[in-house]
Each structure stands twice: as C-alpha cells, then as structure tokens.
mmCIF file of all heavy atoms in Angstrom:
data_model
loop_
_atom_site.group_PDB
_atom_site.id
_atom_site.type_symbol
_atom_site.label_atom_id
_atom_site.label_comp_id
_atom_site.label_asym_id
_atom_site.label_seq_id
_atom_site.Cartn_x
_atom_site.Cartn_y
_atom_site.Cartn_z
ATOM 1 N N GLU A 267 7.885 -9.837 -3.144
ATOM 2 C CA GLU A 267 8.487 -8.627 -2.608
ATOM 3 C C GLU A 267 7.474 -7.841 -1.777
ATOM 4 O O GLU A 267 6.269 -7.883 -2.044
ATOM 5 C CB GLU A 267 9.015 -7.715 -3.731
ATOM 6 C CG GLU A 267 7.944 -7.165 -4.654
ATOM 7 C CD GLU A 267 8.445 -6.067 -5.584
ATOM 8 O OE1 GLU A 267 9.539 -5.521 -5.350
ATOM 9 O OE2 GLU A 267 7.728 -5.759 -6.545
ATOM 10 N N LEU A 268 7.999 -7.135 -0.803
ATOM 11 C CA LEU A 268 7.170 -6.256 0.016
ATOM 12 C C LEU A 268 6.832 -5.003 -0.784
ATOM 13 O O LEU A 268 7.719 -4.340 -1.314
ATOM 14 C CB LEU A 268 7.907 -5.875 1.300
ATOM 15 C CG LEU A 268 7.234 -4.839 2.191
ATOM 16 C CD1 LEU A 268 5.898 -5.354 2.717
ATOM 17 C CD2 LEU A 268 8.156 -4.466 3.358
ATOM 18 N N VAL A 269 5.549 -4.696 -0.846
ATOM 19 C CA VAL A 269 5.094 -3.511 -1.564
ATOM 20 C C VAL A 269 4.863 -2.349 -0.598
ATOM 21 O O VAL A 269 5.341 -1.241 -0.827
ATOM 22 C CB VAL A 269 3.784 -3.802 -2.323
ATOM 23 C CG1 VAL A 269 3.248 -2.536 -2.986
ATOM 24 C CG2 VAL A 269 4.004 -4.909 -3.353
ATOM 25 N N ALA A 270 4.139 -2.623 0.470
ATOM 26 C CA ALA A 270 3.819 -1.575 1.435
ATOM 27 C C ALA A 270 3.431 -2.229 2.754
ATOM 28 O O ALA A 270 2.943 -3.365 2.769
ATOM 29 C CB ALA A 270 2.666 -0.699 0.953
ATOM 30 N N GLN A 271 3.651 -1.519 3.849
ATOM 31 C CA GLN A 271 3.223 -2.021 5.133
ATOM 32 C C GLN A 271 2.841 -0.865 6.030
ATOM 33 O O GLN A 271 3.256 0.284 5.803
ATOM 34 C CB GLN A 271 4.282 -2.900 5.800
ATOM 35 C CG GLN A 271 5.536 -2.181 6.228
ATOM 36 C CD GLN A 271 6.539 -3.137 6.880
ATOM 37 O OE1 GLN A 271 6.556 -4.340 6.606
ATOM 38 N NE2 GLN A 271 7.383 -2.589 7.732
ATOM 39 N N ILE A 272 2.043 -1.187 7.050
ATOM 40 C CA ILE A 272 1.590 -0.169 7.983
ATOM 41 C C ILE A 272 1.588 -0.784 9.377
ATOM 42 O O ILE A 272 1.156 -1.920 9.569
ATOM 43 C CB ILE A 272 0.188 0.359 7.594
ATOM 44 C CG1 ILE A 272 -0.246 1.495 8.524
ATOM 45 C CG2 ILE A 272 -0.844 -0.752 7.551
ATOM 46 C CD1 ILE A 272 -1.478 2.237 8.026
ATOM 47 N N THR A 273 2.089 -0.033 10.333
ATOM 48 C CA THR A 273 2.134 -0.521 11.707
ATOM 49 C C THR A 273 0.833 -0.171 12.432
ATOM 50 O O THR A 273 0.015 0.621 11.927
ATOM 51 C CB THR A 273 3.311 0.082 12.477
ATOM 52 O OG1 THR A 273 3.053 1.485 12.676
ATOM 53 C CG2 THR A 273 4.614 -0.111 11.725
ATOM 54 N N SER A 274 0.696 -0.703 13.612
ATOM 55 C CA SER A 274 -0.485 -0.399 14.414
ATOM 56 C C SER A 274 -0.532 1.077 14.791
ATOM 57 O O SER A 274 -1.612 1.613 15.046
ATOM 58 C CB SER A 274 -0.506 -1.265 15.673
ATOM 59 O OG SER A 274 0.684 -1.082 16.413
ATOM 60 N N GLY A 275 0.624 1.723 14.792
ATOM 61 C CA GLY A 275 0.677 3.140 15.095
ATOM 62 C C GLY A 275 0.488 4.033 13.893
ATOM 63 O O GLY A 275 0.498 5.262 14.011
ATOM 64 N N GLY A 276 0.365 3.412 12.702
ATOM 65 C CA GLY A 276 0.116 4.189 11.497
ATOM 66 C C GLY A 276 1.344 4.524 10.664
ATOM 67 O O GLY A 276 1.232 5.199 9.639
ATOM 68 N N THR A 277 2.498 4.034 11.084
ATOM 69 C CA THR A 277 3.709 4.273 10.293
ATOM 70 C C THR A 277 3.669 3.422 9.032
ATOM 71 O O THR A 277 3.399 2.228 9.099
ATOM 72 C CB THR A 277 4.956 3.938 11.117
ATOM 73 O OG1 THR A 277 4.980 4.766 12.283
ATOM 74 C CG2 THR A 277 6.219 4.185 10.298
ATOM 75 N N THR A 278 3.970 4.054 7.913
ATOM 76 C CA THR A 278 3.900 3.345 6.639
ATOM 77 C C THR A 278 5.270 3.237 5.986
ATOM 78 O O THR A 278 6.180 4.023 6.259
ATOM 79 C CB THR A 278 2.945 4.048 5.660
ATOM 80 O OG1 THR A 278 3.380 5.404 5.473
ATOM 81 C CG2 THR A 278 1.525 4.049 6.189
ATOM 82 N N TYR A 279 5.361 2.220 5.139
ATOM 83 C CA TYR A 279 6.559 2.004 4.326
ATOM 84 C C TYR A 279 6.094 1.618 2.927
ATOM 85 O O TYR A 279 5.121 0.876 2.768
ATOM 86 C CB TYR A 279 7.410 0.871 4.908
ATOM 87 C CG TYR A 279 8.413 0.334 3.904
ATOM 88 C CD1 TYR A 279 9.646 0.940 3.728
ATOM 89 C CD2 TYR A 279 8.083 -0.756 3.096
ATOM 90 C CE1 TYR A 279 10.542 0.463 2.778
ATOM 91 C CE2 TYR A 279 8.965 -1.242 2.152
ATOM 92 C CZ TYR A 279 10.186 -0.628 1.989
ATOM 93 O OH TYR A 279 11.067 -1.090 1.044
ATOM 94 N N TYR A 280 6.805 2.126 1.921
ATOM 95 C CA TYR A 280 6.525 1.769 0.533
ATOM 96 C C TYR A 280 7.825 1.440 -0.179
ATOM 97 O O TYR A 280 8.844 2.123 0.009
ATOM 98 C CB TYR A 280 5.849 2.927 -0.207
ATOM 99 C CG TYR A 280 4.522 3.329 0.361
ATOM 100 C CD1 TYR A 280 4.426 4.346 1.308
ATOM 101 C CD2 TYR A 280 3.351 2.688 -0.025
ATOM 102 C CE1 TYR A 280 3.207 4.722 1.843
ATOM 103 C CE2 TYR A 280 2.122 3.058 0.499
ATOM 104 C CZ TYR A 280 2.064 4.073 1.440
ATOM 105 O OH TYR A 280 0.845 4.427 1.973
ATOM 106 N N THR A 281 7.776 0.431 -1.012
ATOM 107 C CA THR A 281 8.926 0.179 -1.853
ATOM 108 C C THR A 281 9.025 1.322 -2.872
ATOM 109 O O THR A 281 8.013 1.940 -3.243
ATOM 110 C CB THR A 281 8.825 -1.183 -2.543
ATOM 111 O OG1 THR A 281 10.067 -1.532 -3.119
ATOM 112 C CG2 THR A 281 7.738 -1.197 -3.616
ATOM 113 N N ASP A 282 10.224 1.602 -3.325
ATOM 114 C CA ASP A 282 10.444 2.788 -4.156
ATOM 115 C C ASP A 282 9.564 2.825 -5.407
ATOM 116 O O ASP A 282 9.101 3.895 -5.813
ATOM 117 C CB ASP A 282 11.914 2.867 -4.571
ATOM 118 C CG ASP A 282 12.821 3.319 -3.440
ATOM 119 O OD1 ASP A 282 12.305 3.836 -2.429
ATOM 120 O OD2 ASP A 282 14.047 3.142 -3.566
ATOM 121 N N SER A 283 9.340 1.676 -5.996
ATOM 122 C CA SER A 283 8.638 1.653 -7.283
ATOM 123 C C SER A 283 7.161 2.048 -7.181
ATOM 124 O O SER A 283 6.531 2.321 -8.204
ATOM 125 C CB SER A 283 8.752 0.275 -7.922
ATOM 126 O OG SER A 283 8.160 -0.704 -7.102
ATOM 127 N N VAL A 284 6.604 2.082 -5.973
ATOM 128 C CA VAL A 284 5.187 2.422 -5.831
ATOM 129 C C VAL A 284 4.967 3.727 -5.073
ATOM 130 O O VAL A 284 3.824 4.168 -4.935
ATOM 131 C CB VAL A 284 4.389 1.289 -5.154
ATOM 132 C CG1 VAL A 284 4.641 -0.042 -5.849
ATOM 133 C CG2 VAL A 284 4.698 1.183 -3.665
ATOM 134 N N LYS A 285 6.018 4.339 -4.593
ATOM 135 C CA LYS A 285 5.867 5.588 -3.846
ATOM 136 C C LYS A 285 5.174 6.645 -4.692
ATOM 137 O O LYS A 285 5.504 6.839 -5.862
ATOM 138 C CB LYS A 285 7.245 6.101 -3.397
ATOM 139 C CG LYS A 285 7.840 5.325 -2.239
ATOM 140 C CD LYS A 285 9.194 5.885 -1.844
ATOM 141 C CE LYS A 285 9.780 5.100 -0.679
ATOM 142 N NZ LYS A 285 11.139 5.591 -0.322
ATOM 143 N N GLY A 286 4.216 7.296 -4.088
ATOM 144 C CA GLY A 286 3.460 8.326 -4.791
ATOM 145 C C GLY A 286 2.296 7.792 -5.602
ATOM 146 O O GLY A 286 1.474 8.568 -6.098
ATOM 147 N N ARG A 287 2.212 6.482 -5.759
ATOM 148 C CA ARG A 287 1.116 5.877 -6.526
ATOM 149 C C ARG A 287 0.210 5.004 -5.659
ATOM 150 O O ARG A 287 -0.987 4.929 -5.895
ATOM 151 C CB ARG A 287 1.682 5.034 -7.680
ATOM 152 C CG ARG A 287 2.546 5.800 -8.658
ATOM 153 C CD ARG A 287 2.892 4.959 -9.875
ATOM 154 N NE ARG A 287 3.692 3.786 -9.544
ATOM 155 C CZ ARG A 287 3.328 2.517 -9.811
ATOM 156 N NH1 ARG A 287 2.173 2.280 -10.408
ATOM 157 N NH2 ARG A 287 4.129 1.506 -9.488
ATOM 158 N N PHE A 288 0.781 4.313 -4.691
ATOM 159 C CA PHE A 288 0.017 3.399 -3.830
ATOM 160 C C PHE A 288 -0.126 3.990 -2.436
ATOM 161 O O PHE A 288 0.771 4.690 -1.957
ATOM 162 C CB PHE A 288 0.734 2.054 -3.712
ATOM 163 C CG PHE A 288 0.749 1.211 -4.959
ATOM 164 C CD1 PHE A 288 0.349 1.712 -6.188
ATOM 165 C CD2 PHE A 288 1.176 -0.109 -4.894
ATOM 166 C CE1 PHE A 288 0.372 0.934 -7.327
ATOM 167 C CE2 PHE A 288 1.207 -0.915 -6.024
ATOM 168 C CZ PHE A 288 0.814 -0.385 -7.241
ATOM 169 N N THR A 289 -1.242 3.676 -1.801
ATOM 170 C CA THR A 289 -1.473 4.107 -0.428
ATOM 171 C C THR A 289 -2.033 2.942 0.375
ATOM 172 O O THR A 289 -3.047 2.354 -0.017
ATOM 173 C CB THR A 289 -2.460 5.280 -0.367
ATOM 174 O OG1 THR A 289 -1.970 6.371 -1.155
ATOM 175 C CG2 THR A 289 -2.643 5.752 1.071
ATOM 176 N N ILE A 290 -1.367 2.640 1.483
ATOM 177 C CA ILE A 290 -1.846 1.586 2.374
ATOM 178 C C ILE A 290 -2.569 2.229 3.560
ATOM 179 O O ILE A 290 -2.162 3.301 4.036
ATOM 180 C CB ILE A 290 -0.687 0.686 2.859
ATOM 181 C CG1 ILE A 290 -1.238 -0.537 3.602
ATOM 182 C CG2 ILE A 290 0.313 1.467 3.700
ATOM 183 C CD1 ILE A 290 -0.159 -1.578 3.926
ATOM 184 N N SER A 291 -3.628 1.581 4.000
ATOM 185 C CA SER A 291 -4.349 2.076 5.169
ATOM 186 C C SER A 291 -4.948 0.883 5.903
ATOM 187 O O SER A 291 -5.081 -0.203 5.329
ATOM 188 C CB SER A 291 -5.445 3.072 4.764
ATOM 189 O OG SER A 291 -6.385 2.473 3.904
ATOM 190 N N ARG A 292 -5.280 1.101 7.158
ATOM 191 C CA ARG A 292 -5.905 0.034 7.938
ATOM 192 C C ARG A 292 -7.070 0.618 8.724
ATOM 193 O O ARG A 292 -6.973 1.733 9.239
ATOM 194 C CB ARG A 292 -4.904 -0.680 8.850
ATOM 195 C CG ARG A 292 -4.278 0.179 9.922
ATOM 196 C CD ARG A 292 -3.113 -0.548 10.611
ATOM 197 N NE ARG A 292 -3.553 -1.598 11.518
ATOM 198 C CZ ARG A 292 -2.716 -2.473 12.091
ATOM 199 N NH1 ARG A 292 -1.423 -2.417 11.830
ATOM 200 N NH2 ARG A 292 -3.173 -3.398 12.903
ATOM 201 N N ASP A 293 -8.137 -0.152 8.775
ATOM 202 C CA ASP A 293 -9.311 0.230 9.554
ATOM 203 C C ASP A 293 -9.509 -0.842 10.610
ATOM 204 O O ASP A 293 -10.077 -1.908 10.327
ATOM 205 C CB ASP A 293 -10.534 0.358 8.654
ATOM 206 C CG ASP A 293 -11.747 0.903 9.379
ATOM 207 O OD1 ASP A 293 -11.803 0.797 10.623
ATOM 208 O OD2 ASP A 293 -12.653 1.418 8.700
ATOM 209 N N ASN A 294 -9.031 -0.578 11.808
ATOM 210 C CA ASN A 294 -9.116 -1.574 12.878
ATOM 211 C C ASN A 294 -10.566 -1.871 13.270
ATOM 212 O O ASN A 294 -10.858 -2.957 13.772
ATOM 213 C CB ASN A 294 -8.331 -1.103 14.101
ATOM 214 C CG ASN A 294 -6.829 -1.121 13.854
ATOM 215 O OD1 ASN A 294 -6.344 -1.792 12.952
ATOM 216 N ND2 ASN A 294 -6.093 -0.362 14.653
ATOM 217 N N THR A 295 -11.472 -0.940 13.045
ATOM 218 C CA THR A 295 -12.876 -1.178 13.392
ATOM 219 C C THR A 295 -13.529 -2.171 12.443
ATOM 220 O O THR A 295 -14.506 -2.824 12.786
ATOM 221 C CB THR A 295 -13.672 0.134 13.392
ATOM 222 O OG1 THR A 295 -13.724 0.653 12.063
ATOM 223 C CG2 THR A 295 -13.041 1.162 14.312
ATOM 224 N N LYS A 296 -12.996 -2.265 11.223
ATOM 225 C CA LYS A 296 -13.530 -3.201 10.224
ATOM 226 C C LYS A 296 -12.611 -4.396 10.009
ATOM 227 O O LYS A 296 -12.888 -5.239 9.157
ATOM 228 C CB LYS A 296 -13.747 -2.477 8.895
ATOM 229 C CG LYS A 296 -14.792 -1.380 8.960
ATOM 230 C CD LYS A 296 -15.016 -0.748 7.596
ATOM 231 C CE LYS A 296 -16.098 0.317 7.650
ATOM 232 N NZ LYS A 296 -16.328 0.946 6.332
ATOM 233 N N ASN A 297 -11.512 -4.450 10.777
ATOM 234 C CA ASN A 297 -10.539 -5.547 10.644
ATOM 235 C C ASN A 297 -10.076 -5.696 9.196
ATOM 236 O O ASN A 297 -9.950 -6.816 8.686
ATOM 237 C CB ASN A 297 -11.148 -6.867 11.141
ATOM 238 C CG ASN A 297 -11.587 -6.789 12.576
ATOM 239 O OD1 ASN A 297 -11.008 -6.072 13.385
ATOM 240 N ND2 ASN A 297 -12.639 -7.517 12.920
ATOM 241 N N THR A 298 -9.804 -4.586 8.566
ATOM 242 C CA THR A 298 -9.488 -4.593 7.137
ATOM 243 C C THR A 298 -8.312 -3.668 6.847
ATOM 244 O O THR A 298 -8.192 -2.593 7.448
ATOM 245 C CB THR A 298 -10.706 -4.162 6.308
ATOM 246 O OG1 THR A 298 -11.798 -5.049 6.577
ATOM 247 C CG2 THR A 298 -10.398 -4.208 4.808
ATOM 248 N N VAL A 299 -7.485 -4.119 5.927
ATOM 249 C CA VAL A 299 -6.375 -3.328 5.420
ATOM 250 C C VAL A 299 -6.614 -3.107 3.927
ATOM 251 O O VAL A 299 -7.068 -4.009 3.225
ATOM 252 C CB VAL A 299 -5.032 -4.031 5.641
ATOM 253 C CG1 VAL A 299 -3.885 -3.206 5.092
ATOM 254 C CG2 VAL A 299 -4.825 -4.303 7.125
ATOM 255 N N TYR A 300 -6.279 -1.915 3.481
ATOM 256 C CA TYR A 300 -6.512 -1.558 2.086
ATOM 257 C C TYR A 300 -5.206 -1.185 1.386
ATOM 258 O O TYR A 300 -4.253 -0.742 2.019
ATOM 259 C CB TYR A 300 -7.463 -0.355 1.994
ATOM 260 C CG TYR A 300 -8.786 -0.562 2.684
ATOM 261 C CD1 TYR A 300 -9.001 -0.100 3.977
ATOM 262 C CD2 TYR A 300 -9.822 -1.228 2.042
ATOM 263 C CE1 TYR A 300 -10.213 -0.286 4.615
ATOM 264 C CE2 TYR A 300 -11.045 -1.420 2.671
ATOM 265 C CZ TYR A 300 -11.229 -0.956 3.961
ATOM 266 O OH TYR A 300 -12.436 -1.150 4.586
ATOM 267 N N LEU A 301 -5.200 -1.364 0.074
ATOM 268 C CA LEU A 301 -4.110 -0.864 -0.748
ATOM 269 C C LEU A 301 -4.739 -0.165 -1.949
ATOM 270 O O LEU A 301 -5.291 -0.821 -2.839
ATOM 271 C CB LEU A 301 -3.184 -1.987 -1.210
ATOM 272 C CG LEU A 301 -1.949 -1.510 -1.991
ATOM 273 C CD1 LEU A 301 -1.013 -0.734 -1.045
ATOM 274 C CD2 LEU A 301 -1.205 -2.690 -2.603
ATOM 275 N N GLN A 302 -4.687 1.151 -1.935
ATOM 276 C CA GLN A 302 -5.183 1.942 -3.064
ATOM 277 C C GLN A 302 -4.052 2.075 -4.061
ATOM 278 O O GLN A 302 -2.975 2.561 -3.721
ATOM 279 C CB GLN A 302 -5.634 3.319 -2.588
ATOM 280 C CG GLN A 302 -6.114 4.235 -3.709
ATOM 281 C CD GLN A 302 -7.381 3.739 -4.363
ATOM 282 O OE1 GLN A 302 -8.322 3.323 -3.690
ATOM 283 N NE2 GLN A 302 -7.422 3.787 -5.695
ATOM 284 N N MET A 303 -4.311 1.627 -5.278
ATOM 285 C CA MET A 303 -3.281 1.629 -6.312
ATOM 286 C C MET A 303 -3.728 2.519 -7.459
ATOM 287 O O MET A 303 -4.741 2.235 -8.107
ATOM 288 C CB MET A 303 -3.029 0.201 -6.806
ATOM 289 C CG MET A 303 -2.686 -0.768 -5.697
ATOM 290 S SD MET A 303 -2.214 -2.406 -6.293
ATOM 291 C CE MET A 303 -3.734 -2.934 -7.063
ATOM 292 N N ASN A 304 -2.989 3.585 -7.670
ATOM 293 C CA ASN A 304 -3.288 4.528 -8.749
ATOM 294 C C ASN A 304 -2.161 4.526 -9.778
ATOM 295 O O ASN A 304 -1.060 4.056 -9.506
ATOM 296 C CB ASN A 304 -3.470 5.936 -8.184
ATOM 297 C CG ASN A 304 -4.614 6.042 -7.210
ATOM 298 O OD1 ASN A 304 -5.630 5.343 -7.331
ATOM 299 N ND2 ASN A 304 -4.478 6.902 -6.218
ATOM 300 N N SER A 305 -2.458 5.082 -10.946
ATOM 301 C CA SER A 305 -1.446 5.177 -12.011
ATOM 302 C C SER A 305 -0.754 3.840 -12.234
ATOM 303 O O SER A 305 0.484 3.762 -12.298
ATOM 304 C CB SER A 305 -0.418 6.265 -11.662
ATOM 305 O OG SER A 305 -1.044 7.516 -11.477
ATOM 306 N N LEU A 306 -1.534 2.809 -12.353
ATOM 307 C CA LEU A 306 -0.977 1.461 -12.475
ATOM 308 C C LEU A 306 -0.187 1.298 -13.763
ATOM 309 O O LEU A 306 -0.514 1.888 -14.804
ATOM 310 C CB LEU A 306 -2.094 0.425 -12.394
ATOM 311 C CG LEU A 306 -2.602 0.168 -10.979
ATOM 312 C CD1 LEU A 306 -3.976 -0.491 -10.994
ATOM 313 C CD2 LEU A 306 -1.606 -0.690 -10.200
ATOM 314 N N LYS A 307 0.853 0.494 -13.660
ATOM 315 C CA LYS A 307 1.740 0.219 -14.783
ATOM 316 C C LYS A 307 1.748 -1.282 -15.070
ATOM 317 O O LYS A 307 1.477 -2.085 -14.158
ATOM 318 C CB LYS A 307 3.161 0.667 -14.440
ATOM 319 C CG LYS A 307 3.283 2.134 -14.045
ATOM 320 C CD LYS A 307 4.703 2.460 -13.612
ATOM 321 C CE LYS A 307 4.845 3.929 -13.198
ATOM 322 N NZ LYS A 307 6.232 4.241 -12.782
ATOM 323 N N PRO A 308 2.092 -1.677 -16.283
ATOM 324 C CA PRO A 308 2.161 -3.119 -16.584
ATOM 325 C C PRO A 308 3.081 -3.871 -15.637
ATOM 326 O O PRO A 308 2.811 -5.032 -15.310
ATOM 327 C CB PRO A 308 2.690 -3.133 -18.023
ATOM 328 C CG PRO A 308 2.175 -1.871 -18.621
ATOM 329 C CD PRO A 308 2.259 -0.858 -17.511
ATOM 330 N N GLU A 309 4.133 -3.220 -15.180
ATOM 331 C CA GLU A 309 5.065 -3.894 -14.257
ATOM 332 C C GLU A 309 4.483 -4.098 -12.863
ATOM 333 O O GLU A 309 5.105 -4.757 -12.030
ATOM 334 C CB GLU A 309 6.396 -3.121 -14.168
ATOM 335 C CG GLU A 309 6.256 -1.640 -13.890
ATOM 336 C CD GLU A 309 6.309 -0.803 -15.157
ATOM 337 O OE1 GLU A 309 5.662 -1.187 -16.162
ATOM 338 O OE2 GLU A 309 6.983 0.251 -15.133
ATOM 339 N N ASP A 310 3.305 -3.570 -12.602
ATOM 340 C CA ASP A 310 2.619 -3.836 -11.337
ATOM 341 C C ASP A 310 1.850 -5.161 -11.388
ATOM 342 O O ASP A 310 1.300 -5.604 -10.368
ATOM 343 C CB ASP A 310 1.630 -2.717 -10.998
ATOM 344 C CG ASP A 310 2.321 -1.385 -10.721
ATOM 345 O OD1 ASP A 310 3.362 -1.395 -10.037
ATOM 346 O OD2 ASP A 310 1.816 -0.357 -11.205
ATOM 347 N N THR A 311 1.801 -5.784 -12.551
ATOM 348 C CA THR A 311 1.099 -7.060 -12.699
ATOM 349 C C THR A 311 1.735 -8.124 -11.808
ATOM 350 O O THR A 311 2.945 -8.352 -11.857
ATOM 351 C CB THR A 311 1.137 -7.522 -14.165
ATOM 352 O OG1 THR A 311 0.388 -6.588 -14.960
ATOM 353 C CG2 THR A 311 0.534 -8.909 -14.314
ATOM 354 N N ALA A 312 0.909 -8.734 -10.969
ATOM 355 C CA ALA A 312 1.401 -9.731 -10.021
ATOM 356 C C ALA A 312 0.224 -10.267 -9.220
ATOM 357 O O ALA A 312 -0.890 -9.745 -9.303
ATOM 358 C CB ALA A 312 2.423 -9.111 -9.063
#
C-alpha cells in the first residue's frame, strides 16, 4: 500500500492511517527522500 508520496513541487499525500504521525520530505541536493515516522504503532510493522 501507498503510505506517503511527495511531488517535485513539494505536494504531499498521506494515507489516512499515518496522517499526523508520518512526514515525507525530499532533499534534491542529496538525492534522498525521507520518511519520519513518529508515534509508531504495531500495525505499522511492515
């Protein structure tokens, strides 16, 4: 399942179950995308 995505323009999308807990970001200078996951739950196991 899709958890989160971010466009080149910075628009983000989150699936409902992670809204408010996960944050996606991208650093084009480092060619890296991040997913900060807070308040993790057992159902996030995957």
